[in-house]
Amino acid sequence: MSEYAPEYTKKERLRIVAVHSAWVIPFFLVIEYWFTPWLTDYADQAHCYDYGSFTGSELLLYSVFVGLPVVTGLIVLAIEGKRSLQILRIGQSPLPGEKVFRPTKYTYGLRAKVRPFMMLCMVVSLLILSLMGVSSVREISIPSDVVCTQ
């Protein structure tokens, strides 16, 4: 077995970049030209909306302080979770047969387990941060005497 992990060929690298560019570029365009202006307009008038037991302002605060950390943690877990658990289990990084973009030596044992452990700590920290966000939103006072101009 070689000391270095196998590398992607130039053709495979270009294909990976093209595939990811095909969804990333439209995603950022939608964020930039549709979602951001909509969110800005909504945030200006959020206090006017009532969703049962929540106001629009509370909904925005929960989105930022609770939703954002949870979604970030779940995305990181979905992308890296399975791989990290495998590395923790077998103690080798990169995994056997896994291709890499640049010359990378195999690492074994505790040294290989550091990055996956840190990733799992980050996910747990994000989930704890979201739980703290629930109490933070409850402590923030939202003035209810603001006049709505709709």
Side-chain angles (χ1 to χ4, degrees):
M1 186 160 152
S2 174
E3 183 178 345
Y4 287 90
E7 291 183 55
Y8 286 110
T9 64
K10 194 170 199 166
K11 184 178 179 181
E12 289 172 323
R13 291 180 199 178
L14 288 174
R15 187 187 66 75
I16 290 170
V17 168
V19 166
H20 288 294
S21 296
W23 70 267
V24 167
I25 292 170
F27 177 76
F28 280 113
L29 288 174
V30 166
I31 295 293
E32 181 69 27
Y33 294 108
W34 177 77
F35 182 73
T36 303
W38 172 83
L39 185 61
T40 303
D41 292 341
Y42 181 82
D44 289 339
Q45 297 294 321
H47 60 277
C48 296
Y49 297 104
D50 187 22
Y51 301 104
S53 60
F54 295 106
T55 65
S57 299
E58 289 173 326
L59 186 66
L60 283 174
L61 291 171
Y62 277 112
S63 299
V64 171
F65 290 116
V66 179
L68 202 57
V70 167
V71 169
T72 303
L74 291 176
I75 288 172
V76 169
L77 195 60
I79 292 171
E80 282 293 320
K82 182 178 177 184
R83 180 180 179 275
S84 293
L85 289 175
Q86 288 176 335
I87 291 172
L88 287 173
R89 187 170 26 96
I90 67 170
Q92 176 184 333
S93 176
L95 293 169
E98 180 181 38
K99 290 187 174 185
V100 294
F101 282 95
R102 60 177 184 243
T104 306
K105 284 187 175 183
Y106 284 109
T107 56
Y108 301 94
L110 186 60
R111 181 175 235 176
K113 294 178 180 184
V114 170
R115 290 181 82 185
F117 180 73
M118 295 302 289
M119 188 278 307
L120 292 174
C121 287
M122 182 185 72
V123 170
V124 170
S125 298
L126 285 168
L127 295 177
I128 291 170
L129 184 65
S130 69
L131 292 174
M132 292 170 54
V134 172
S135 62
S136 296
V137 171
R138 289 181 182 162
E139 292 176 8
I140 296 174
S141 63
I142 300 170
S144 59
D145 58 348
V146 180
V147 177
C148 294
T149 56
Q150 289 183 342

